[in-house]
Amino acid sequence: MTAHAKTREIVVQELNSDQLHGLSQEQAAEKYALYGENKLREKKKKTNLQRFFAQFKDVMILILLAAAAVSFVVACLEGDAEGFFEPVLILLIVVLNAIMGVVQESRAEKALEALKGMSAPHARVIRGGEEAVINAAELVPGDIIRLEAGDFVPADARLLHSVSLKSEESALTGESVPAEKDAEAIIEEKAPLGDRVNMVFSGCSITYGTATAVVTATGMDTEMGKIANLLDSEEEGQTPLQQKLAQLGKYLGALALAACAIIFVVGLASGIPALEIFMTAVSLAVSAIPEGLPAIVTIVLSIGVQRLVKKNVIIRRLPAVETLGSASVICSDKTGTLTQNRMTLVKAWVDGMEEPELISGKNSEKIRTLLELGTLCSDGSVIFHGTKEQHIGDPTETAIVLAAYNNGMPKEQLNMAYPRLAEIPFDSDRKLMTTVNRMNGKNIVIVKGAFDVLSDRCVGGNLERAGQIVESMSESALRVLAIAYKEIDQVPEKPESEELERGLQFLGLAGMIDPPRPEAKEAVAVCRKAGIRPVMITGDHIATASAIAKELGIQKEGELAITGPELDAMPERELDEKVEKIAVYARVSPENKIRIVKAWQRKGQIVSMTGDGVNDAPALKAADIGCAMGITGTDVAKGAADMTLTDDNFATIVEAVREGRGIYANIRKVTGFLLGTNIGEVVLVFVAMLLWHKSPLMSMQLLWINLVTDSLPAIALGMEAVEPDVMNRKPRPKNESLFSHGLGIRVVLQGIMFGTLSLIAYWLGETQTASVAGGQTMAFMVLAFSQVIHAFNMRSHHSLFKTGVFTNHNLNRAVLISAALVCLVLFTPLRTAFGLVLLPGKLYLQAAGLIFVPLLVMELSKAVGLVKE
């Protein structure tokens, strides 16, 4: 519909809505059934069949299939029924791997869908005369919505009322400067999008002002929906860690292929049949290359993301999980993050009073007047559901609104009795909010905001005494709002700060407290122990901020607290020198926040930054880990951040860092386990071919070991619980190698150990049974079981007996399945197809001794400190 070319009243009428009451619940339900969800159509998802065939694109899998085809053709030519077993087994293993891949992809997609649902944008809507916050997907044409700075516009809408409204529309129009909006304008029907100043569009964001609007289009009917085909070009990229692992796989592949080429030549020269040596070489190449490592790492990351969801953290980008473990500085807002974000008005003072008065349900007339004006100059509201309160909007405003309500002055009644005629919304530069209300036949300007800003604009009142009261309240960790007023004759058409916010009569002060969260103090102590520096960055008064910081342990003896203006006056060089000594930044601007983040980054630190407002978005992007608030955070802040806290709690950030460190440690364990076992297989076959010109394992035996000892134990290792001492370690450098702290050397040595044990097993088996099959059976058994046992070694750098042998239940199950599959081909008639034989009893005892050597070696290494995290 061409809503921009019609008056507000006609648009509302055509949509069968009501400006004051919005749609009824019944109307909304009918329209929802008609229009569907307010979502853009997503790229068509792959079917499970498409996913299944996509698993066969890997070059090594294709080589393996080619080997199966060659083996199948040879079996057909020779007419040997047993010859078909090998190609059938190869195909079976490939298909099983493909099925596992499909299952893993499906799990990851479901996890992503769940996260999308949890991080879906919300909208403030009026339905049936009541304001509510709903999922933006539930919006329908005709809904009346409210918008303010920091909100994403949830649907295309015609403005009904706007105050100083500006919208960022570069995604649609290409215009880099926010567009000014005017609800009263009527635009020519064919006007381009950029000229439709009486409309706001889905996917854009409000950068300034407030508005009420009626939804005109949702989902694919929006202007953004018309260009939704651009979304189809989005491709899922690999995380930096995955790219490193993929590169590692290529290097290992090159080495394995070189080893295979040598084995092939040696085998041919030794008279081994070409097909047999070809199959051995190919299967060795496939088993040596950890082609499943990037996929398993993705699973580990996905499991970590799900763990974090349970800890009230939503990760928007997987690389953030990798970076979390490196965080060395956490720059945190105070209000709601370190404190409870349940502002309670506890004291108030009005000009002329001796001392502040405690807030109760029966306050003096002077205090009631202060509460009345403060409520009229507030956008926040408190909705009651029985005995439960729902605070909507800024917590400092809702504290005043609730105090007025408790004194018998509900906001709705005040707004009806003293209607708002004009307003200048709050912004972080002015630190003020202003309204003009019609009160008792007069036009009263009400201004509320920071005392240090408001006092400069007042011409009446005992400002010196007010300053003393502010200081006293702040020292008690109270947040103080100042309120002033004046009377004007005419209400300006376009309210300006210079006109309305000058020549004011000072009225009084409202002192409220947002007590520290009980868990925040402990979380700060954990940070300090983990080598992470907590820093408070707040817009609050410096005395209040410093008092809370000292109570929580953020500001220690000798550490500084400075204000935004002091930071502005500080040259970059001086900031770099002092940044490590500054614990609290108060009264900061958006520019200040970016400077603080970059100063720490120049020190080589990995910075996590929290924020909730539209003005925090640049700093959230500049930080290594941007962390938005899920409750009080604006949609713009959430869009700029890497992760969102659903409980706005500082302790949750610390818990997220702990989980991030644990996830990274698990990735190291998985990588070490897979590479160590793969290197062992290469060493076994390569050395045996050079020494004895015999293959110690047949291709199908290698493939079976690779199938049953890799994937399941590796995934189970990725689910290992975070180690208790993970927060006792210093943060790891951002560019630290995955194989640091000796992991690379240990992996190679472990591989040599597996290869050596298997060579000994082959020699014992062949000499005592006088058959190659006996040697191969012994090598198969020792290599398979020693790798399964080794999964327990990789659980921790601590002794397995200290960690608890069977405390990882997922690993227990994985090991039991793997062991059962190995036993299946060792002790059932299936062994014949695998070229295995039953061994004398003493060889099983010798094999058991060799199998547990890795456990003994690793325990000794841990005891003497050779294994470190």
Side-chain angles (χ1 to χ4, degrees):
M1 68 185 292
T2 53
H4 59 277
K6 301 173 182 175
T7 64
R8 295 169 286 189
E9 294 74 18
I10 290 175
V11 173
V12 172
Q13 185 179 351
E14 287 182 354
L15 290 166
N16 295 319
S17 190
D18 183 283
Q19 287 198 41
L20 291 177
H21 299 93
L23 297 173
S24 67
Q25 294 295 345
E26 292 76 15
Q27 284 178 301
E30 287 174 10
K31 291 196 174 194
Y32 187 79
L34 178 63
Y35 293 101
E37 281 193 316
N38 175 33
K39 284 184 177 179
L40 296 180
R41 186 169 56 245
E42 294 184 350
K43 187 166 56 176
K44 191 176 179 181
K45 293 173 185 170
K46 289 180 182 178
T47 64
N48 283 335
L49 189 62
Q50 287 173 319
R51 284 202 190 105
F52 179 77
F53 285 114
Q55 306 299 319
F56 296 93
K57 290 180 180 177
D58 188 274
V59 175
M60 299 314 297
I61 296 296
L62 293 175
I63 292 173
L64 196 58
L65 288 173
V70 171
S71 181
F72 183 79
V73 170
V74 170
C76 288
L77 292 175
E78 294 180 353
D80 181 9
E82 290 186 5
F84 289 104
F85 180 76
E86 189 161 333
V88 168
L89 177 64
I90 293 172
L91 289 173
L92 178 64
I93 290 172
V94 169
V95 169
L96 282 173
N97 273 325
I99 291 171
M100 283 184 66
V102 171
V103 170
Q104 290 160 7
E105 276 191 37
S106 299
R107 282 183 63 187
E109 188 175 275
K110 284 177 184 175
L112 187 60
E113 288 300 320
L115 295 183
K116 280 183 183 176
M118 293 186 70
S119 59
H122 290 76
R124 288 172 66 179
V125 63
I126 298 171
R127 283 188 180 168
E130 292 187 359
E131 183 176 327
V133 178
I134 66 169
N135 190 319
E138 297 172 15
L139 284 178
V140 295
D143 266 327
I144 306 297
I145 58 173
R146 286 189 173 164
L147 300 166
E148 60 184 27
D151 288 346
F152 271 124
V153 181
D156 286 4
R158 170 65 160 90
L159 295 172
L160 303 177
H161 175 70
S162 63
V163 179
S164 306
L165 192 71
K166 292 182 181 180
S167 176
E168 166 58 57
E169 298 178 345
S170 58
L172 277 176
T173 65
E175 186 66 43
S176 58
V177 179
E180 294 187 9
K181 298 293 180 177
D182 182 2
E184 296 182 4
I186 298 176
I187 311 300
E188 184 185 344
E189 186 173 335
K190 294 183 180 179
L193 284 179
D195 293 342
R196 298 178 192 176
V197 296
N198 58 5
M199 296 285 295
V200 287
F201 301 104
S202 175
C204 301
S205 59
I206 304 301
T207 59
Y208 194 85
T210 60
T212 304
V214 59
V215 174
T216 57
T218 59
M220 295 304 292
D221 295 326
T222 62
E223 295 298 330
M224 191 66 78
K226 293 172 185 176
I227 56 172
N229 59 309
L230 294 176
L231 296 176
D232 291 339
S233 62
E234 289 186 7
E235 293 294 332
E236 292 181 11
Q238 285 189 315
T239 69
L241 182 61
Q242 285 174 300
Q243 290 170 0
K244 288 178 186 176
L245 292 173
Q247 191 66 35
L248 173 66
K250 289 177 182 176
Y251 292 146
L252 288 173
L255 288 171
L257 288 173
C260 290
I262 295 170
I263 287 171
F264 191 75
V265 171
V266 172
L268 287 177
S270 303
I272 298 174
L275 178 62
E276 183 182 332
I277 194 64
F278 171 75
M279 295 300 293
T280 300
V282 169
S283 59
L284 176 62
V286 174
S287 64
I289 300 168
E291 68 277 347
L293 187 55
I296 290 174
V297 166
T298 304
I299 296 169
V300 174
L301 289 172
S302 299
I303 291 166
V305 166
Q306 287 303 300
R307 279 185 181 175
L308 286 166
V309 168
K310 293 174 184 175
K311 306 270 185 179
N312 299 313
V313 179
I314 298 173
I315 299 291
R316 292 184 68 248
R317 290 182 273 270
L318 274 184
V321 181
E322 301 168 24
T323 313
L324 263 174
S326 300
S328 54
V329 176
I330 299 178
C331 296
S332 175
D333 185 26
K334 176 182 74 67
T335 306
T337 310
L338 292 162
T339 58
Q340 295 178 25
N341 199 22
R342 297 294 292 179
M343 298 297 290
T344 305
L345 199 60
V346 291
K347 288 182 182 179
W349 178 84
V350 172
D351 190 37
M353 294 176 65
E354 286 295 322
E355 295 294 332
E357 182 178 317
L358 293 174
I359 296 297
S360 64
K362 297 178 181 178
N363 283 109
S364 64
E365 199 57 40
K366 285 185 175 181
I367 297 297
R368 286 169 60 84
T369 300
L370 181 79
L371 296 177
E372 183 179 73
L373 267 63
T375 299
L376 290 169
C377 187
S378 294
D379 288 328
S381 58
V382 181
I383 299 172
F384 294 89
H385 305 282
T387 57
K388 192 177 179 182
E389 303 167 10
Q390 183 185 3
H391 291 238
I392 300 175
D394 186 275
T396 58
E397 291 189 340
T398 59
I400 296 172
V401 171
L402 184 60
Y405 176 88
N406 291 335
N407 271 274
M409 298 181 291
K411 184 182 178 184
E412 295 74 17
Q413 290 183 16
L414 292 176
N415 285 340
M416 289 178 66
Y418 310 120
R420 186 181 292 187
L421 307 177
E423 66 180 284
I424 305 176
F426 175 86
D427 73 57
S428 56
D429 293 325
R430 286 174 27 256
K431 294 186 173 67
L432 298 172
M433 176 180 175
T434 298
T435 63
V436 181
N437 293 71
R438 187 72 176 170
M439 302 183 72
N440 305 318
K442 299 175 182 177
N443 299 324
I444 304 297
V445 177
I446 310 169
V447 185
K448 78 174 191 330
F451 174 75
D452 52 356
V453 176
L454 188 60
S455 59
D456 291 339
R457 302 176 181 233
C458 292
V459 294
N462 188 346
L463 297 175
E464 184 179 347
R465 178 60 182 155
Q468 293 171 355
I469 298 294
V470 169
E471 203 65 38
S472 172
M473 286 183 173
S474 297
E475 285 173 2
S476 302
L478 296 185
R479 183 167 185 174
V480 185
L481 276 181
I483 298 172
Y485 69 98
K486 72 175 181 180
E487 182 182 335
I488 57 174
D489 296 326
Q490 297 290 328
V491 179
E493 285 189 18
K494 289 194 173 182
E496 299 288 343
S497 173
E498 288 302 313
E499 181 182 355
L500 292 183
E501 295 174 348
R502 297 287 179 189
L504 301 169
Q505 175 67 38
F506 187 80
L507 176 60
L509 303 165
M512 54 200 77
I513 190 166
D514 181 12
R517 291 179 180 266
E519 63 275 22
K521 189 169 186 177
E522 184 183 344
V524 169
V526 171
C527 274
R528 295 276 190 181
K529 193 173 182 182
I532 301 169
R533 175 70 184 276
V535 177
M536 181 189 287
I537 302 179
T538 178
D540 218 339
H541 193 282
I542 189 166
T544 306
S546 188
I548 295 286
K550 286 175 180 176
E551 184 178 345
L552 291 174
I554 290 175
Q555 186 178 355
K556 295 279 192 181
E557 192 70 36
E559 292 178 345
L560 306 175
I562 67 170
T563 64
E566 289 174 328
L567 182 59
D568 288 330
M570 197 178 287
E572 194 168 286
R573 181 181 294 177
E574 186 182 350
L575 175 59
D576 287 350
E577 290 173 359
K578 290 185 175 179
V579 69
E580 292 174 329
K581 298 176 185 175
I582 304 171
V584 177
Y585 298 85
R587 283 290 191 261
V588 293
S589 66
E591 293 78 17
N592 292 151
K593 293 179 181 180
I594 295 176
R595 281 194 73 197
I596 296 163
V597 168
K598 291 189 173 177
W600 276 110
Q601 287 174 332
R602 284 194 295 272
K603 291 283 184 181
Q605 304 297 326
I606 310 302
V607 183
S608 172
M609 173 80 193
T610 70
D612 57 5
V614 66
N615 59 338
D616 292 324
L620 290 173
K621 278 194 171 182
D624 297 285
I625 309 163
C627 180
M629 301 295 104
I631 299 172
T632 59
T634 60
D635 291 333
V636 171
K638 292 173 189 174
D642 300 296
M643 66 187 216
T644 300
L645 305 183
T646 58
D647 62 355
D648 292 12
N649 192 342
F650 179 82
T652 303
I653 305 173
V654 179
E655 186 60 32
V657 172
R658 180 178 176 275
E659 285 290 338
R661 289 187 176 190
I663 290 164
Y664 187 79
N666 285 350
I667 289 171
R668 279 169 54 88
K669 293 168 189 175
V670 169
T671 306
F673 172 72
L674 289 175
L675 293 184
T677 55
N678 286 4
I679 290 171
E681 294 169 12
V682 173
V683 169
L684 167 64
V685 178
F686 187 74
V687 174
M689 291 297 293
L690 291 178
L691 289 178
W692 304 310
H693 306 303
K694 295 175 184 177
S695 176
L697 289 173
M698 294 167 62
S699 56
M700 68 181 78
Q701 294 165 355
L702 269 173
L703 288 167
W704 191 255
I705 291 173
N706 204 45
L707 174 69
V708 304
T709 65
D710 275 7
S711 299
L712 289 177
I715 293 170
L717 274 175
M719 300 170 75
E720 183 72 33
V722 180
E723 295 193 50
D725 64 347
V726 75
M727 292 300 276
N728 296 343
R729 306 166 199 161
K730 298 296 180 187
R732 63 181 175 85
K734 189 175 184 179
N735 297 320
E736 181 180 273
S737 167
L738 188 65
F739 299 99
S740 61
H741 305 293
L743 179 62
I745 295 171
R746 291 202 303 274
V747 165
V748 173
L749 292 175
Q750 286 164 14
I752 293 170
M753 175 179 65
F754 287 124
T756 303
L757 290 172
S758 302
L759 285 166
I760 293 170
Y762 177 81
W763 177 78
L764 287 172
E766 187 187 29
T767 54
Q768 293 185 43
T769 62
S771 70
V772 172
Q776 289 177 337
T777 302
M778 189 73 169
F780 174 86
M781 182 164 48
V782 169
L783 183 61
F785 278 119
S786 62
Q787 291 184 0
V788 169
I789 293 294
H790 186 57
F792 288 101
N793 290 329
M794 296 302 295
R795 287 184 54 201
S796 173
H797 64 285
H798 295 299
S799 168
L800 179 61
F801 301 100
K802 181 182 177 182
T803 308
V805 179
F806 301 112
T807 49
N808 183 337
H809 300 301
N810 293 305
L811 183 59
N812 297 341
R813 285 189 285 269
V815 164
L816 281 174
I817 294 170
S818 296
L821 290 171
V822 173
C823 289
L824 182 70
V825 298
L826 275 173
F827 303 112
T828 70
L830 199 59
R831 65 178 175 272
T832 306
F834 277 84
L836 301 172
V837 295
L838 287 174
L839 300 172
K842 65 176 181 179
L843 276 179
Y844 289 115
L845 291 174
Q846 291 171 5
L850 293 171
I851 286 165
F852 284 96
V853 167
L855 182 62
L856 180 63
V857 169
M858 291 300 292
E859 283 299 312
L860 288 172
S861 300
K862 291 173 183 179
V864 298
L866 294 177
V867 179
K868 297 177 182 177
E869 182 51 52

